[in-house]
Every structure is written in structure tokens, then in C-alpha cells.
Amino acid sequence: MILHNLRVTHWRSLLQPTEVGPFVEGLNVIHAPNGTGKSSLFEAMRRALFDAHLVTGKEIEAVRPWGRSLAPQVMVEFSQGCVRYRIEKVFLDSPSARLSRLEDGEFVPLADGRNADSELREILAARDTPGRGLSKQEHWGLAQVLWAPQGALSLSFVSSSVSENLRAALGVQLTGESGTRLEELLEEQYLSLFTRSGKPRAGKDAAPILAMESQLAEMAMERHELLAQQQSFEEAAGAVEDARQRRAQARREADALREPLGQTRKLAESFQRLQSDLQQKRQTEQTAKERHESIGRTIELIADARREAAGLKAQIERDEALLGELAAELKTASARADERRRQREEARSRRASLSQRTAEVEDARAFLADTKARQALAARLEKLQQLQTGFTAERQSRAVLVAPDDRAIRDVRKHLAARGKAEAALQASLIRLTVRPHRAATATRKSPEETRAISAGEAATFAGSPEVSIEIEGFGSIHAAGPEMDVDALRGEMAEADRKLAKLTQPYGTQDPDRLQLVRDQAKELDQKIEVLERQIGELLGDDTTEELQGDLAELDARILERTGRFPAWKDQPPALSVLQSALEEQRKAIETAVVQAEDAFDEAQAGAQGVEKRHTETAAALKGARLALEAADRRRSDFTRDGLSDHDRQTARQEASMAWEAARAQAEECKRKLEEIGDDPQKSLDKMELQLRALEAAEAAARDDEKKAEGRLQSLAAAGAYSKLSACEERLADLTGRIRREKLRMDALRLLHDTVASCKAAAVAAVAAPVERTASRMLERVAGPRLGPVRLTGEFVPAGIEPKALGEAVELDNLSGGEQEQLFLITRLALGQVLAQNERQLVVLDDVLNATDTGRLARLLTLLEESAGALQIVILTCHPERYRALEAAAFFNLQP
Amino acid sequence: MKIIHTADWQIGMRAESAGKMAERVREERLAAAQRVVQAARDHGAEMLLLAGDVFEDNAVDRLLVRKAGEILRRFPGPVYIIPGNHDPLSPGSVWEHPVWAEAGNITVCTRSEPIELETCVLFPCPLREKYSTKDPTSWINGRAAAKPAIGLAHGNVEGIPSGEPDYPIPRDTANRRGLDYLALGHWHSLARYEDPNGECRMAYSGTHETTGFGERDSGNAILVEITRRGGPPALTSIRTGGLDWRTVEHSVAQPCTLESLVQQLAEIAQPESTLVRMRLDGMLFPEDRGALRRLEELLATRFLFGALEAEGLKPAPDGEGWIESLPAGTFQDAARKLRALASQPSGTDQQATASQALLQLFDLHERSRE
């Protein structure tokens, strides 16, 4: 696109019609001070080219000149594809649009209203319409890269539509016109089956395979159910077959069982009959046996009774003789035992003498102990008496000694010092008058009156206060006066000290502190002695008192006296305890030995007597028992023989019973043999077989029931024709599976084709982007030197960064200075513009850019702009025209009137 | 005496390979049954022997059983049927259907015991389960028969490659069992077994109507003529099949060969009863793409059923003209990549997908030039 003329009216600050142009195909600089409407001019051009004339809203309202009800108007003349157009639009009030084309030197209307809007977008290849609002950058077609509004030079964000437009523009070069059509067809085909993210289309225009797969899932369910039905049919057939087999088997087994069952039943009957016979025979046998045994037993009992009676009689005779002998022996033994008892008691009586001797030994031990205790106690009391005597003496001494305590001595010393001090002060305050007459004289003092004879040459001193007046006989009076002092107070102090001293020392008879201290030391010494004695007495007494000790002594004396009364010899000679104890032990041993011997002898005699007595008792009892047994045996014999039979008769009867028993036993054995031939009771087998037969009959009946049920189910399933349905279902399934496979192949192939073409195209685009990168890199190096390195663009043609050679790795744009960033973005736009201008010159608009670029780099950029102007029309809007004056070929347009 | 020996009608079978024409294929099996009966009448056969697998399964639609019974009922002579392994004599089987009792001329042989007929003795060998390793003819002793002894059995003649022995039948069963002829069923292709004397006394009639692609010598019945006991039977194959199942396999090695296949398909008579499965592999040359499309069209429209399996075709490696005809740049690059993928060994998904992608690319290219 090439811009020729631009006219704007009622647009923001451009109140009056403002026309700029005609522009040259190379460099154009529109300049004016701030606020005069440069950017409004650029904005008006964008609105004219890319916005619908009917657009409403706050944004377009803001375009209206402030405070005026004027409709913004704009006219743009431009060329596109070697055709010159004019677009005229009025916004807001009576909005209108008219697109004209230059034909034969005149602009001829081409479209108006909405048609003008859409036709214009078509001409400018701005396919993305803005909708109801104002257009944004993404609606500007290629201008979004080539036109840089004020403050928007950067290319940090590019919308997808921008990149698509760029790709579309580059795609023409990649595939050519026919390739574009093919690409469109491919895209159309692809989007008919897939979403742009590559998923099969769903919803209203869903890919056919989705419906097929859904159908397949339903059919798979149907097949599953039919297969189950088919299996049920086969299982039911199997169940019928099984039931038939079971029924037949049960019937066969029952038939097979019936014959042996009959035989067993007969055998069981025989067995029961034989068992009954055997029972009767055994009873007969038992009866015969019992009779035989009864007769035999009677014979034996009679014989036993006879033998027993004979034996008992002999025993009675022996016991009677023995009883007489034992009575005599018992008498002798009793007498011997009595003698031995007497001897034992005698021996035991000797133990009394032993206790007397033992008491004597105990007395001797006690006597000796008491004597020893008394001696110790007496010594203790003596010592105690000594100590108490000393204690009493010291206490008396201490009682008579009046001694001050340490405090009193300290007070005496204090008062003495006070008194001395007062006295010294008094002496110092007195007026001293010393008289030494040449000859003897008498001096009289009036107050206090004093007369003193003074020898010749003798000095006599009179002291007083406040004056001293004496009268010397023969001489006259002498008056001496001095300074007036408070002598009375000093005297009072002395008197007070004397009073206190007198009070303190009155008990002691002296005011000499040293003497008082001596008395005090004496008293202390006495106190210490008393304390020692008191402690010794306490230790000696312990817990006792002197009275208690004296009581103990008296008790000991009494006990000693009592024992010496009983044993007078001990007064002179204390007893020898060991001698007494030895004698006692010897005596005790002799007595105990005699007692043991006597007791043993008694026990022996006593045991002998008791043994004889026991035998006698036993013999008597035995005799009595024998007599009773004899009576019983006689009674039994008479009972057994009461039938009156003879022994012979009884033997005969026994033989007859024996023969009957043998006969009965033989019959029972025969019966038993027959039973043994049969073996175990057949009734058990019979019971089991009958149970088995009933079970088999029940099994047959159950199998018949099962068979009927299964047959009913089978007929129902057979009537359903499950296999035919399953076949039809599987045929449809196979057909559908085949169609899905083919459709999937078709889709996979289309996806593969689409993706392959896309990847090839991406590679081609990348290859195209490379020259753009190279161009931009060269430009940047020319402007900023080699330090920044090559420029790197993203796949969306957005500058991603640079690769300084010194670093060897990419650096993001944020690391560049503001000036370098704007230089890089301008260079990128110029490089892209050069690529896009290969087929047709393109318009580049730069609104107030390069404000952060220094003068040196600006000069180099201007050179680049001049070079780029060979392929691009460049329109620069600035408030600093002087910066661009170096552009010699540029056309300058001053907006300022 | 003249007998029609037929078997393996497989009424009610599934026909997955026939796609949407499966029902038509099933119906044709009943039509073929009518042709068998008609052929028996036409050839004056006294008896019709069905050697098993009359039905595909015991759970087929009972209406089919009724239809088959009614068709056989129309035969004026006796019909003897043995259950086969597909329709064994088991509870709930098709043989419990009342149509067999209603038809006075049909005997479903349910016991392995001789049936004394006026002109021959029949030794039927009905099967009671789907699988067995037992020789179903082992009970037969036809040596004592005064009349021609004819066996009717279903199983695998030893020597036919199969897995585990399943109803094995010795190759010399006819002679071993004293049979004049043993009518066999189970295998769908017609097969004769000659004894050392060169006489054929046992044979598979094969199915009366071909069941699918690749079946050899099927769609027949056998007319058996026996003049006397011990005499050599005369066997005549009678065509009963109505559908023509054709498999066309072609490996393309030279350009412009697909056109001959187009011609071949165009020349097939009675396409309305023909099912065609065409398998192509080898090279796909640019000049053959039109023929390939015509093949697809023919198969889809001319025949009862047609299927083209062309996934095995790879773009010809030296067909640079394909790629050069595309717009230069992206599309040629993409086409070369796809051709490299398509040139991988056949059978891989990626190869087939890439081949298809190439074809789609060229189709789109052609559309873009319209």
C-alpha cells in the first residue's frame, strides 16, 4: 500500500480541515509541535482504512472535537496493487463511507456504506473484522507490523491473527497461487473432520467416525447380549442332556438294585428267624446249665458245711486250751509291770534334790553379781560425793565473789575517762596564783576560805575561777583574774561522772578498772570450774539421781544380806560358781540316767503285759467266732439237706441235668452255625439298599423335573433363533468395523497429510524467517556495532532477543537499554517490511519513535531509513523535525499553520 | 438306483465377508437348496441324502428350519438326513422342529443303525455333539448286506490337514465297512476318494452354495448311480450354486496394468450374483490412479458385492512425476516425506496411512486445479 493524500476534519484537535500530501513513495516526515494533531492524523487514517463507518461507542465519541457536535471526517488516497483508491468516511453524525477508484484520471465511486467498508478491508487484506467496536491492531492486516503508533513501537506481543497474516503473506511465496488453493482445500478437508487442536470434530458437524464408533459400541453391546443368549441356548441344551443322563443313570442304577434287594430281603427274613431260634435254644441251654450247676453247687455246699464244722470244732478245742495258758501268763506280766512302774517313780523322785542344788547355783550366781554391782555402785556414789562436795565449795566461793561483768567494766572505764576529761578541762579553766614569799607568810583566801602558811622560798599555788584573791599577811592582797570560764558545768560533769562511777562500782568497793577486771577474771574461772563439775556429776549420774543410786545400793545390800543369811559361809568366802555348777551337772546326769533306765524297764514290762492281754482277748474272740461259725455251718448243712435226698440221689440228679444241658447247647450251636453262614445281619444291607433305591427313584424324579424345566427353557431359547440374530449382528458389526477401519485410515491419512504439510510449511516459514533475522542482524550491527550480535525472532516474527558473540548464548530483550530496544524493534519492522515489499511497495508509519536513541545511532538509523525507502514508503510523525533534516530525499510536511 | 448326495447347506450361516449383502447370501442358500431338490427331480433321483450340517447352528431362526423342511418336503422321494457337527442331535436341536415329523418323506436319522430300504441298506452316522475323536462310521458292517450298502457320515477323512482329530474317518472306510458308497459331509469342496482299483466309493459333495471367498470347487451336489451291489458307483457333479464368489489378487509391477483389471471386472457376466474381492499390492503409479478409482467404482456399483483391498499398494519409487506435478515448495516436501513413509515394508499401519495420505494429496491437488 502506498499513501498519497490524507485529509482530516473535525478530528480531536484538528478542528479545521487538515490535508497532508501528496506523499512521496520514499521518505515523508510530518512534523509539528506537541498537541497539534500529528497522532490524530495517523489515527484518522487507521479509522478510515480499518473501521466501519457505522461504528459507535465511547471510543469513537472521543474523536469528536471537544465541546462541539461535529462529525469526524477523513479522506485517504492510497494505492494498492497499482490501483489508486480514495476512501472517504464520516463518523457518528450521518455516518457515511465511500470508496472510489481512480479511473481515467478521475475517482469513480466503487462502493459506499457497508460495502465500502468490506471492499476496503478486502483490498487491504485485513480479513479479521473488528465487529461492533473500533479496530485494534490485530485487525489491521500487515499494517500491524508496518505501522507503529505513538508509544507502541515494540513488537513484544503479536496476536495470532498477526502471525497468521504474516504467514499468509509469506505463504504466497512458499507455495504459490495453486498451492494456496490446495492448502485451502486441505484445510477445509481437515477442518471437516478435525478441530484445529487435532481432535475429531464433535457436535453438529461431527466427524462420521464418532457416530460410527458410537454405533459400534451399541452393536458390541447387542452382540454381547446375543452371544450370552446363544451361550444360554447351548447351556440349556447341555442342561437337558445332563438331566436326561442323570435320569437314565438313576433309572439304570435303580433297576440294577432291585434284584439284589429282593435277595437281601429274603436273606434278612431267614436271618431273623434263625436269630429267634438261637435265642430260644440259648435260653433252654441256660436253664439246663443252671439246673446242673445248682445241683452241683448244693452238693459242694453240703460238703463244705461238713468240712467247716469239723474244722471249727478242732479250732475251738485249741483255743480253749490256749486261753487258759494266756490267762496265767497275763497275771505274771501284770505283776512285773507294776514293779517296774514303782521303780520308775522312785527314780523320778530324785529329780527334786536336783532342783534344790540348781537353786543354790542360781543364788550363788546372783550373789556374785549383786556383790559386784554393789562395789561398782559404791565407788560411783563415792565419786559423786566428791564431785558434789567440790561443786558446793566452788559455788560458795563464787557466791561470795561480787564481780562486775564485762559491760560494767567498760562503763566504769568510760565514766572514768569522762571524769578525767572534765577534770582536765576544769584544771585548765582555773586561774592559778603562785606565791613564793621570801619570807614565811600566811596567805588567806577568801573564797573559798582557805588559809595557808607559806615558808620562805616555798611556792604556794591558789587556783580558782573566775578569779583568785588572796590576802597575804604583811604583804597585802593579791587578786588574779582571767578569762571567765564555765567551771561549774565542768564540775557538774565531773560530779555526774563520779555519781555514775559510784553507782557502778558501789558493789565492788573500788573504782579501779584493772582491779575490777581482776575480780571479773576470778569469777569467770570459778564459773568454769562449777560448769566442769556440774557436767561430771551429770555424766556420772546419767539418767539416775543420787537418791535412786542410793536406793539401788540399799537394795543390793539387802539382797546380799538375805543370801548371806541363807549361806553364812559366803560372808567370808564368796561361793565358787563353777564348782557348784559342775557338781550340779554330775548329779543331774546320774539322776536322769537312772530315770531313763527305770522308764525303759517299765515300758518293756508294760508292753509284755499288754501283748499277753491282747493275745488273750484275740483268742477269746476267735473262740467265740468259731463257736458261732460252727453253729452257722450246722445250720447250712441242715438247710441243704432239708430235701431229704441222699448224697447219691443228688449225684444222679446232677448227671441228668448235665446231659440235658449238653443237648440244648448242641442245638443252639447248630442254629448259630447257620447264622454264621449268613454272616452279618442282612437287615442293615437291606435298609441301606432300600434307602439307596428310594434315593435313586428320587434322583430320577428330580432329573425328570430338571429335564422338563430345561426343555421348556431350551424350547423358548431355540424359538428365539439366537444364532441367526447373532450372525446378523456380527455381519453388521464386521461391516461397520470395516467401514470404521477405512474411515480411520482416511482420517489418519488426512491428519498425516495435514501435519506433514504443516511441518514442512513451518520449516519453510522458519527458512523465510532466517533471512529476516539476517537482514535485521545486519541492520542492528550497522546501528549498534557488533557487540549485540545477531537478532533472534520467534516463529511469530517477534524479536525474542539477541545473541552477543561474547556470551555465546541468547539474551532477552529486557537486558537491553531502552534505546537499544526501540532500535531493535524499528529494525525488525523495517526488515519485515522489506520482505513484504518484495512484490509491492509497502507503507511504514512511525509515529514519534526513536526518542531514546542517541544522536550517533540516530544518524546511522536515518541511513537505514533512506536505504529502506527504496522498497518502502516511510511516513514519520515527529515533533523534532530537526532530527530528520539529514534525510535529504525526505518530503517534510509541517502541520502548523 | 440314483441318489443325490448333498451336504453342508449351512442354512443360517453368517456371511461377514459379504458386508451388507449377508442376508442376500443367506437367502441364496435356501434358493440353492431348492435347486438341489429340482436337480434331484430332474435327474430322476430316487433318494436324497443330506450328509450333515444342513444348518449352521442349532440356534438358527426356526423359520429357516421350517423353510428348509418345506423345500425338502417337495422332493417326491425319501430324504435321509444325518445331523452334523454344526447341527448335532442334541437337546433343543433343529431336529426337534415339528416340520420333520410333518414331512412324511423326510427321515432324520437319530440312531447309528442300519435302515433297510427297498433298494438298499442305509448306514447313517448321526452326530450328537460338536467335537469327537471317535470315527462315526466305526459301527458299520455292510458286508452282510444283500442290497447296495450306502453309508451317510459327517467328519474328516484322514489325510485332510486339520488340528486335533475331529470325527476322523479312514480313507478306506467304504471298502473296510463293505459299503458301495459312503456319502460324506463336512468339507465344503467337492472331493472324491478312489480306492486302489480306481473306483470312487466315497466322496464329499461339498456345500451346495459357496460359503465365502476362496472356497474351491463348491456349490455342487453329486448324482450317485449304483447299478448293483458291489458295482462301481457313477458320480456326477451337478452345479447348484447361484452365487459367484471371486477373489482377484493382483500385484502391480508395471504402470497401466490396472486398466486391464478394470476390463476384467467389466467382462464378468451376471455381476448381480457375483461377489468380488480384489486385493492389490505392489506399486501404484501416477498413471494408474484413475484406473484405481474406476476399480473402486466398479466394485462398489456393478456387483452384488465388491471389496477393494488396496492398502498394500505403495507409491512407485521412481514416480517423481507425482511429486513434480504438485506446487513447488511445501507440498512437494510433504509429498516426499509421505512417500518415504509409504515405502516402508507393507503391512504396517504407517505405510498404509502414508500411502492413503499421498492419494488424498493428489486428489486434493486435482480438485485445486479444477
Side-chain angles (χ1 to χ4, degrees), chain A residues 174-176 178-186 188-189 230 233-234 236-238 240-241 244 714-715 717-728 730-732 734-735 739 741-742 745-753 756-761 764, chain B residues 11-17 19-20 22-23 26 56-62 64 86 89-93 96 130 305 308-309 311 326-331 333-335 337-338 341 349-350 352-358 360-361 364-369:
Chain A
L174 292 170
T175 59
S178 64
T180 304
R181 175 63 185 146
L182 176 55
E183 194 175 358
E184 286 171 356
L185 282 174
L186 175 59
E188 181 186 335
Q189 189 88 358
Q230 168 77 358
F233 171 77
E234 291 178 358
V240 171
E241 187 66 35
R244 285 179 184 168
L714 184 60
Q715 283 173 8
L717 289 167
Y723 182 82
S724 293
K725 291 177 182 169
L726 179 62
S727 298
E730 288 183 342
E731 285 159 359
R732 293 197 308 276
D735 179 58
R739 285 193 287 131
R741 184 178 57 78
R742 290 192 293 277
L745 176 63
R746 188 170 80 92
M747 289 179 71
D748 289 347
L750 184 59
R751 189 204 300 268
L752 178 63
L753 174 60
T756 307
V757 169
S759 71
C760 289
K761 189 177 175 185
Chain B
I11 301 294
M13 74 163 203
R14 70 167 65 91
E16 291 173 346
S17 56
K20 293 185 183 302
E23 189 56 38
R26 261 193 298 281
E56 176 70 7
D57 192 272
N58 272 331
V60 295
D61 192 338
R62 265 31 190 174
L64 293 174
H86 272 264
L89 189 65
S90 59
S93 74
E96 293 179 358
K130 290 190 173 181
F305 172 78
L308 176 63
E309 298 174 13
E311 288 85 355
L326 290 168
T330 301
F331 286 103
D333 293 345
K337 280 191 173 181
L338 291 173
L341 288 173
D349 288 346
Q350 200 174 32
T353 307
S355 296
Q356 183 69 21
L358 264 183
Q360 288 187 12
L361 175 57
L364 288 170
H365 179 44
E366 286 184 2
R367 282 175 56 196
S368 73
R369 292 195 294 188

Side-chain angles (χ1 to χ4, degrees), chain A residues 386-407:
Chain A
Q386 288 174 356
L387 290 173
Q388 284 176 339
T389 303
F391 177 73
T392 305
E394 295 298 342
R395 286 283 295 269
Q396 287 172 350
S397 299
R398 181 65 183 89
V400 297
L401 180 63
V402 180
D405 53 13
D406 290 339
R407 184 178 175 185

Side-chain angles (χ1 to χ4, degrees), chain A residues 533-568:
Chain A
L533 286 170
E534 198 171 30
R535 188 172 67 248
Q536 287 175 341
I537 290 168
E539 287 173 355
L540 197 60
L541 281 173
D543 296 332
D544 300 326
T545 62
T546 306
E547 288 75 21
E548 286 173 348
L549 292 177
Q550 285 171 344
D552 292 343
L553 184 64
E555 187 181 342
L556 287 170
D557 286 342
R559 287 210 299 267
I560 291 168
L561 187 62
E562 188 270 332
R563 287 197 174 91
T564 52
R566 286 191 282 128
F567 303 100

